[in-house]
Amino acid sequence: MIPKSSILLIEDEENICSFIATIMKNQNYKITTASTGTEGLHLCASLCPDIVLLDLGLPDMDGMEVIKK
């Protein structure tokens, strides 16, 4: 089956990240995860995901800063 969309999940809480990733994979989405804003920005630039799910409280920068960059 072909994945529906590619998703980049930027979330620093491991249990939340794992939970969301598992659900998305079970629904046939291609999901990539990042635990910091910096890592998320690099992955976003290199992968060009269809959707970004972004936590606003990240350890290295605020999620709003990620959006601005």
Side-chain angles (χ1 to χ4, degrees), residues 6-10 17 21 25 30-34 43 47 49:
S6 62
I7 299 173
L8 173 59
L9 172 60
I10 307 173
C17 186
K25 286 178 186 174
K30 181 182 179 206
I31 188 155
T32 304
T33 61
L43 287 171
L47 300 176

Side-chain angles (χ1 to χ4, degrees), residues 1-4 25-29:
M1 193 178 283
I2 299 170
K4 295 177 182 175
K25 286 178 186 174
N26 288 340
Q27 294 299 315
N28 204 36
Y29 288 96

Side-chain angles (χ1 to χ4, degrees), residues 22-46:
T22 299
I23 289 172
M24 292 293 136
K25 286 178 186 174
N26 288 340
Q27 294 299 315
N28 204 36
Y29 288 96
K30 181 182 179 206
I31 188 155
T32 304
T33 61
S35 60
T36 66
T38 302
E39 180 184 12
L41 288 170
H42 289 296
L43 287 171
C44 192
S46 64

Side-chain angles (χ1 to χ4, degrees), residues 9-13 53-58 61-64 66:
L9 172 60
I10 307 173
E11 169 62 62
D12 63 319
E13 294 287 333
L53 297 177
L54 174 63
D55 180 11
L56 293 179
L58 297 167
M61 66 179 74
D62 182 81
M64 294 303 291
V66 173

